[in-house]
Amino acid sequence: MKRIRKAFVMSVHPGQEEEYARRHNPIWAELHQMLKDHGVHMYSIFLHKETRQLFGYLEIEDEARWAQVPQQEICRKWWAYMKDIMPSHPDNSPIAIELQEVFHID
């Protein structure tokens, strides 16, 4: 099965870079399992220290399964847990901009 590549950018509040990393190491087991159950693979987030920009990359099996992730209770709990250290929407989801792929080599 060919996987779909996704990339996005977010950010973390000033001074919260270490806390952001701490909260992800490790992420909650229930969250990890939910992502796997929804066809997520190869999920990485990178921090640009000077700008506090976060670059996320993941591979998914299916857009429809990926679209279900925000409705999962554990995802909403995670967003609520993270909202104090990163820019977020009123529903606590992180402010993220999806990136368009312009180049890829296998």
Side-chain angles (χ1 to χ4, degrees):
M1 169 185 282
K2 184 170 178 150
R3 293 185 186 156
I4 302 163
R5 292 179 300 277
K6 301 286 234 180
F8 55 91
V9 291
M10 303 178 295
S11 63
V12 62
H13 291 315
Q16 296 298 317
E17 301 88 346
E18 287 182 24
E19 179 62 16
Y20 183 89
R22 186 192 68 74
R23 292 184 189 188
H24 280 79
N25 289 294
I27 65 166
W28 301 337
E30 186 181 357
L31 179 62
H32 180 230
Q33 189 60 53
M34 182 276 297
L35 291 168
K36 290 293 187 184
D37 291 346
H38 284 80
V40 176
H41 301 271
M42 305 287 294
Y43 196 160
S44 297
I45 299 174
F46 301 86
L47 171 67
H48 185 297
K49 288 184 180 183
E50 287 80 30
T51 66
R52 299 180 330 278
Q53 189 173 49
L54 300 163
F55 168 75
Y57 172 83
L58 63 139
E59 295 177 3
I60 61 170
E61 295 174 2
D62 178 272
E63 290 283 359
R65 287 171 67 199
W66 173 244
Q68 294 172 357
V69 168
Q71 282 75 53
Q72 305 307 305
E73 182 180 346
I74 190 63
C75 181
R76 295 195 173 271
K77 285 181 182 177
W78 180 258
W79 289 349
Y81 176 57
M82 298 299 288
K83 72 179 181 176
D84 64 320
I85 63 170
M86 60 189 307
S88 302
H89 293 286
D91 69 354
N92 296 330
S93 64
I95 294 174
I97 300 169
E98 191 168 336
L99 301 176
Q100 177 185 355
E101 184 176 85
V102 296
F103 178 76
H104 175 76
I105 292 178
D106 270 330

